[in-house]
């Protein structure tokens, strides 16, 4: 009998890459999806026939219990959340329900159905927020600067709590920003790659951006899902920071993206105060030496390769629509 894994948030960027990875390793993959009037399976369309979809919701304890029973999963990857930081300012309570309490509901379901199930919790570099030290590692204190970051801190510590209180094999991956051609259009990297492609093809004249000086540690999502899997293959459950250790500004992101199609970003990018956050996170950079040492993990795709890959994808996508 092969291994079975349950992925919440399977239709998202990370969920789709993780499903591919696990299928390649011979897993039976189950994806939990919320009931919705309009379904968006575009990211998993190419593998949909190879995975089993189960309806469930992080707001509904019973559905989580049923999903665990139906899948018989030995590994659960909790990637579902309200994951867009700006939305968390407009919907702080809903963000807390999904991103914080949803983790408790899932852990409690695991404890009741089968406490031997291994759990991966998607923590976030946004938990560091107003950073206490640079670079950030597993012992850096959290200082979240958004309702999303606050909710992720709760999800992180409730995972630690279940590990220590109930001996559940539960790991948190503190992932820094990870991007891909499957990234949502609301995220800054995809906003830029799509904007550049539109301008290059004459579909747009400018790109309105927020804080160009904000700095992040950006990596490739397909590299990062491998780290999730590696965490659940260890003898001991633990938490790991996952990132490249390199920091780049939004300005540099624009420079590379526009440069890739032979344009200068200064000719097209307009700074708009509307896109500034109420409380900004200025600098995030990972110290993932523990993951490199214990898991043997390291990122493969470099920043400029990632941005060029995303621009090329959006150029191809928009050309096919013309």
């Amino acid at each position: 009998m092969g291994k079975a894994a349950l992925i919440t948030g399977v239709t998202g960027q990370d969920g789709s890459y993780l499903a591919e990875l696990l299928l390649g390793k011979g897993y039976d993959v189950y994806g939990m999806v919320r009931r919705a009037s309009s379904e968006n399976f575009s990211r998993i369309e190419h593998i949909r026939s190879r995975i089993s979809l189960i309806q469930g919701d992080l707001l509904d304890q019973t559905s989580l219990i049923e999903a665990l029973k139906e899948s018989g999963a030995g590994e659960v990857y909790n990637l579902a959340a309200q994951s867009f930081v700006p939305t968390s300012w407009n919907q702080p309570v809903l963000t807390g329900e999904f991103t914080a309490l949803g983790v408790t509901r899932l852990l409690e379901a695991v404890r009741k159905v089968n406490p031997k199930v291994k759990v991966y919790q998607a923590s976030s570099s946004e938990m560091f927020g107003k950073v206490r030290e640079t670079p950030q590692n597993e012992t850096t204190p959290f200082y979240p600067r958004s309702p999303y970051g606050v909710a992720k801190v709760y999800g992180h510590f409730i995972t630690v709590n279940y590990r220590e209180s109930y001996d559940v094999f539960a790991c948190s991956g503190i992932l820094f920003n990870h991007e891909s051609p499957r990234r949502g259009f609301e995220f800054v990297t995809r906003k830029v790659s799509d904007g550049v492609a539109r301008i290059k093809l004459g579909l747009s004249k400018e790109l309105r951006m927020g804080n160009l000086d904000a700095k992040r540690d950006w990596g490739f999502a397909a590299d990062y899902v491998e780290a999730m899997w590696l965490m659940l293959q260890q003898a001991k459950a633990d938490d790991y920071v996952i990132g490249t250790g390199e920091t780049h500004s939004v300005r540099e992101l624009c420079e590379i993206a526009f440069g890739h199609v032979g344009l200068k970003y200064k000719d097209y990018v307009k700074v708009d105060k509307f896109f500034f956050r109420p409380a900004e996170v200025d600098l995030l950079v990972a110290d993932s030496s523990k993951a490199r040492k214990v898991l043997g993990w390291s990122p493969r795709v470099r920043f400029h390769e990632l941005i060029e890959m995303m621009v090329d994808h959006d150029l191809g996508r928009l050309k096919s629509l013309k």
Side-chain angles (χ1 to χ4, degrees):
M1 188 173 159
K3 283 185 167 183
L6 174 66
I7 304 171
T8 74
V10 72
T11 59
Q13 169 189 257
D14 293 8
S16 65
Y17 281 116
L18 179 61
E20 283 177 356
L21 178 80
L22 295 178
L23 286 169
K25 294 184 181 297
Y27 280 69
D28 293 327
V29 177
Y30 294 81
M32 195 179 86
V33 292
R34 297 175 68 206
R35 172 75 185 92
S37 54
S38 61
E39 296 171 328
N40 182 9
F41 295 140
S42 59
R43 294 184 183 95
I44 57 168
E45 205 57 63
H46 62 298
I47 52 171
R48 195 173 165 187
S49 61
R50 299 170 61 202
I51 62 179
S52 306
L53 298 180
I54 300 174
Q55 280 193 5
D57 197 313
L58 288 177
L59 302 187
D60 184 62
Q61 181 90 43
T62 306
S63 70
L64 298 175
I65 290 170
E66 290 306 312
L68 284 167
K69 287 179 178 174
E70 189 179 331
S71 64
E75 296 175 8
V76 176
Y77 296 85
N78 184 35
L79 311 185
Q82 189 303 97
S83 62
F84 188 46
V85 174
T87 298
S88 76
W89 297 103
N90 299 325
Q91 299 182 318
V93 176
L94 186 69
T95 299
E97 285 286 354
F98 276 115
T99 309
L101 292 176
V103 185
T104 312
R105 293 187 191 101
L106 182 64
L107 288 165
E108 191 62 12
V110 165
R111 190 172 75 87
K112 287 180 174 171
V113 174
N114 180 3
K116 296 282 181 244
V117 169
K118 294 182 174 183
V119 180
Y120 171 83
Q121 164 59 16
S123 286
S124 166
S125 59
E126 287 288 331
M127 301 189 306
F128 294 122
K130 191 175 181 179
V131 296
R132 310 282 84 188
E133 62 185 16
T134 298
Q136 296 87 47
N137 63 27
E138 293 79 8
T139 61
T140 302
F142 299 134
Y143 194 143
R145 297 270 279 171
S146 66
Y148 170 76
V150 172
K152 278 292 186 184
V153 170
Y154 176 98
H156 178 83
F157 277 122
I158 200 68
T159 302
V160 173
N161 190 254
Y162 268 67
R163 181 168 72 220
E164 294 177 353
S165 303
Y166 300 117
D167 201 27
V168 173
F169 191 109
C171 300
S172 277
I174 307 172
L175 270 57
F176 280 63
N177 295 64
H178 45 290
E179 319 295 319
S180 75
R182 298 179 195 172
R183 193 55 145 150
F185 289 100
E186 68 273 25
F187 291 88
V188 68
T189 48
R190 191 69 193 281
K191 180 180 176 179
V192 169
S193 66
D194 177 64
V196 166
R198 287 179 183 280
I199 289 167
K200 181 64 178 175
L201 297 173
L203 301 171
S204 230
K205 289 189 169 64
E206 65 176 27
L207 179 60
R208 303 188 83 80
M209 298 290 293
N211 182 8
L212 296 182
D213 296 317
K215 293 179 178 175
R216 293 290 184 275
D217 182 330
W218 279 296
F220 180 39
D223 288 345
Y224 286 40
V225 300
E226 186 182 9
M228 300 176 186
W229 176 76
L230 285 167
M231 287 178 212
L232 297 196
Q233 311 316 308
Q234 304 306 305
K236 176 174 167 283
D238 208 346
D239 306 323
Y240 298 88
V241 162
I242 303 297
T244 67
E246 294 179 9
T247 183
H248 301 275
S249 66
V250 176
R251 191 182 306 279
E252 195 180 340
L253 158 64
C254 292
E255 205 169 352
I256 291 170
F258 278 95
H260 186 53
V261 296
L263 301 175
K264 291 182 178 175
Y265 84 94
K266 288 180 180 176
D267 296 337
Y268 303 96
V269 171
K270 303 285 184 285
V271 173
D272 188 336
K273 294 287 184 189
F274 175 79
F275 295 109
F276 280 65
R277 292 183 183 183
E280 183 56 89
V281 174
D282 297 310
L283 173 63
L284 291 172
V285 57
D287 172 6
S288 56
S289 49
K290 178 178 170 184
R292 291 168 192 251
K293 182 181 175 186
V294 178
L295 305 178
W297 177 86
S298 61
R300 295 186 182 93
V301 176
R302 302 297 301 269
F303 179 66
H304 69 92
E305 294 172 324
L306 170 64
I307 303 309
E308 290 169 2
M309 175 204 307
M310 292 176 69
V311 171
D312 288 342
H313 171 83
D314 280 324
L315 278 170
R317 179 182 59 84
L318 290 167
K319 280 177 186 169
S320 71
L321 296 175
K322 287 181 88 174

